[in-house]
Amino acid sequence: MKIGIYGGTFNPPHLGHLAAAKYAVQVLGLDKLLLIPAAIPPHKALPEGTPAAQHRLAMVEIMADAMAMPNIVEVSDMELQRQGKSFTSDTLAELHQRYPKAELWLLMGTDMFLTLHRWHEPKAILDLAGVCAFGRTEQDGEELFAPQRDYLKQEFGAKIVTVTIPNLVDISSTRLRELLSGGAGREYLLPAIYGYILRNQLYGTSADLKHLALPELRACSYSMIRQKRVAHVIGVEEEAVRLAQRWGIDPEPARHAAILHDCTKYLELPEQLQLCREYGVELDELERRAVKLLHSKTGACIARAIFGEPDEVYEAIFWHTTAKENMTTLEKVIYLADYIEPNRDFDGVERLRALCYRDLDQALLLGVETTIQEMEERKAPIHAKTLLARNWLREHGVTIEE
Ligand code: DGI
Ligand code: FE
Ligand code: FE
C-alpha cells in the first residue's frame, strides 16, 4: 500500500494545495492520501491572525471532500492532537507504526524540499519515507531540484521523485492572506473554503453576511454542505430563476432562496433540534424524529437570521420539503425547482418538468402526489402539510390534465 502524506499549516488551504494533492495521487498511484494540518510548525511561527487549529482542520476537511475521492483521501488531526511542535519525524514514526507494511511518501513544495536537510531529524524522515517534491512554477523545475536531489540521495540515501505540476495556480499563502484581508483573493480558493472564511470572519475578512453579493452568498452556502450536493443547489438556482421568469415574479428572491434552501441539510438531529429551539420553531411529533423534515425549517431560520433574507425567502425555504396549503408563487417555484432541477432523474421527471412550465398548480399537485405515493411505497409516514397541500389544490379545482 502506498500512502501519501501531505502536511502543512494549510493557512488557508488553496487551489495550489488542491492541485498538488490531486496530482500526487495520480503520479504516485497512491492508495491513500493523508492531509495533516500542523499544530505548531517547527520551522516558523504561525503568523499573527492564524485561525484556531479547529478552523484550519475544518477547511482541510472541505478540501478533502472537494477532491471527491472518499476512499483515498483522509484528513488526520494527529499533529493537532500531539503536544508541542509538529515534527515530521514524529508523524512518520507514528504512521510507520500504524501502517508497518506501507510505503510512505512525503509530499512537499519547492521551498520545503530545498531546506529538507535542515529539518529536525532528516535522516529519520528519509529512512521512513520517500519524498515527492512538486515545483510551484515552471521556473523551479530541474535547475533548482537537481542539486538538492543529488545531495539528499548521497547524504541520506533518500528516495526522491520531483515533478512540476502543469498549470499550477501560483499563490503563496502569505500573499493570499494579504489579499483576503483586503477583500480579494477569492479566485485562489475553493468556493466552499472561501465561504467558510467569510462566515467565520477569518484572515481579517469582515463581509456583512446580511448583504452579500451572489458569489459570496453561494460560497457561504456551499461551505455548509457536502461537495456532492453543490451541483444540485446550482441546478435549483438555475431552475428557480427560469420558473420565476416564466410565472412573472421577481427572480432574485427565488435565486436567494434556491442558493440557501439546503444549507442545513447535513446537520444531525440534535443540531437541528437545537436550532429549532433557538429560533422558536415548533415541531410536531413526526418532525421531532424525521431529521429529513427539519432542514427546510432550520435552513429558513439561518437564511433570515444569518444572511438577512426577507420573510418571503424564509417562507419559501421553510416549505420546500413538505409544501402546504395555499402557497405563494415563490413558494411553489422553490418547491418545484427542487423537484425538477436538471440533475434530477426519476420516473416521470420529464412530465413534471413540462407541466411546471405549462400550469404551475397542476405541477404542484403532481409533485405533491408523487411524494405521497413515494412515501406510501416506502411505508414512511406522510407529513400532515403534504396531505393538506394536496387536498387544498383538489378543493380549489386543480386536476392534472394528461
Ligand atoms: O433536500 P432535498 O433532498 O433536495 O429534497 P427535499 O427537501 O424535498 O427532501 C426530501 C426528503 O424529505 C426525502 O428524503 C423524503 C423527505 N420527505 C419529504 N416529504 C416527506 C418526507 N418524509 C416523510 N417522512 N414524510 C413526508 O411527507
Ligand atoms: Fe431540501
Ligand atoms: Fe434540495
Side-chain angles (χ1 to χ4, degrees):
M1 181 162 74
K2 267 191 177 182
I3 304 179
I5 297 142
Y6 194 7
T9 50
F10 295 109
N11 194 17
H14 54 64
L15 294 182
H17 295 120
L18 179 71
K22 277 187 183 164
Y23 201 65
V25 170
Q26 201 194 336
V27 282
L28 294 172
L30 297 176
D31 302 292
K32 192 193 280 291
L33 173 65
L34 295 173
L35 303 174
I36 311 183
I40 307 168
H43 56 287
K44 59 178 179 193
L46 283 169
E48 208 178 314
T50 294
Q54 291 319 306
H55 282 312
R56 289 187 290 117
L57 181 66
M59 290 189 282
V60 174
E61 277 167 352
I62 293 175
M63 178 170 110
D65 180 51
M67 288 179 71
M69 293 186 257
N71 300 320
I72 295 180
V73 180
E74 268 177 45
V75 179
S76 166
D77 65 353
M78 60 190 287
E79 292 191 354
L80 300 178
Q81 295 293 342
R82 221 159 55 210
Q83 299 297 315
K85 287 192 175 182
S86 307
F87 292 118
T88 300
S89 53
D90 295 341
T91 301
L92 289 176
E94 213 176 311
L95 289 173
H96 178 65
Q97 269 203 338
R98 205 184 304 171
Y99 306 103
K101 295 206 177 99
E103 193 179 315
L104 304 180
W105 283 90
L106 197 57
L107 318 185
M108 65 187 70
T110 319
D111 304 355
M112 293 288 114
F113 179 63
L114 296 178
T115 59
L116 186 53
H117 54 287
R118 285 188 272 137
W119 290 17
H120 182 66
E121 302 179 332
K123 175 92 180 100
I125 292 173
L126 294 165
D127 281 348
L128 285 169
V131 170
C132 175
F134 27 78
R136 232 183 358 210
T137 60
E138 300 292 336
Q139 291 88 338
D140 36 271
E142 269 305 287
E143 239 173 281
L144 267 174
F145 280 148
Q148 174 72 345
R149 189 175 56 214
D150 296 344
Y151 165 71
L152 293 174
K153 277 186 179 169
Q154 243 173 27
E155 186 72 20
F156 301 103
K159 192 170 61 175
I160 293 168
V161 172
T162 52
V163 285
T164 304
I165 304 180
N167 315 315
L168 185 61
V169 180
D170 188 27
I171 182 75
S172 83
S173 298
T174 311
R175 176 81 189 116
L176 177 53
R177 287 193 298 270
E178 280 168 18
L179 288 170
L180 285 169
S181 70
R186 184 178 89 212
E187 64 274 32
Y188 298 110
L189 292 162
L190 281 168
I193 291 182
Y194 179 56
Y196 186 93
I197 289 170
L198 294 179
R199 282 199 296 122
N200 294 285
Q201 306 215 314
L202 307 180
Y203 303 109
T205 57
S206 55
D208 174 2
L209 297 183
K210 291 190 162 64
H211 298 94
L212 292 175
L214 289 173
E216 278 71 23
L217 186 68
R218 291 187 189 105
C220 285
S221 169
Y222 305 163
S223 77
M224 301 167 79
I225 59 180
R226 302 280 299 277
Q227 175 66 26
K228 63 175 187 211
R229 183 161 287 270
V230 170
H232 163 66
V233 173
I234 292 172
V236 176
E237 182 185 341
E238 286 169 17
E239 198 74 54
V241 167
R242 263 198 301 271
L243 281 170
Q245 284 164 339
R246 169 68 183 87
W247 298 109
I249 59 168
D250 183 355
E252 287 319 301
R255 185 191 290 287
H256 281 241
I259 290 171
L260 293 169
H261 84 284
D262 276 341
C263 71
T264 56
K265 185 81 179 179
Y266 290 98
L267 299 183
E268 307 282 348
L269 186 61
E271 299 166 290
Q272 299 280 7
L273 294 174
Q274 172 54 36
L275 284 174
C276 289
R277 271 194 299 274
E278 191 178 330
Y279 291 108
V281 176
E282 284 178 24
L283 301 175
D284 66 24
E285 197 215 329
L286 170 60
E287 289 163 346
R288 275 193 288 272
R289 57 195 167 83
V291 68
K292 285 182 174 154
L293 293 170
L294 296 180
H295 76 282
S296 41
K297 299 168 192 299
T298 54
C301 294
I302 296 294
R304 188 165 65 183
I306 305 293
F307 298 107
E309 296 296 344
D311 291 347
E312 59 172 344
V313 169
Y314 171 92
E315 296 291 335
I317 298 175
F318 197 96
W319 299 110
H320 89 260
T321 303
T322 60
K324 62 161 184 165
E325 72 282 15
N326 198 14
M327 292 167 82
T328 64
T329 305
L330 179 59
E331 288 159 2
K332 294 173 192 170
V333 160
I334 295 301
Y335 179 85
L336 288 167
D338 190 30
Y339 228 122
I340 64 160
E341 59 93 3
N343 300 289
R344 291 285 196 208
D345 184 18
F346 55 87
D347 278 349
V349 71
E350 286 307 336
R351 180 178 174 222
L352 184 58
R353 279 195 183 117
L355 201 49
C356 279
Y357 287 87
R358 200 166 73 232
D359 187 312
L360 198 59
D361 284 326
Q362 286 188 33
L364 182 61
L365 181 55
L366 181 57
V368 168
E369 284 184 344
T370 306
T371 297
I372 291 172
Q373 202 179 2
E374 198 190 313
M375 292 297 128
E376 281 169 349
E377 279 163 18
R378 277 201 242 162
K379 303 216 182 327
I382 298 159
H383 192 269
K385 284 289 184 184
T386 310
L387 294 170
L388 271 176
R390 180 190 63 187
N391 298 345
W392 192 91
L393 289 164
R394 285 182 179 169
E395 283 159 20
H396 286 75
V398 179
T399 51
I400 303 162
E401 300 153 22
E402 280 317 303

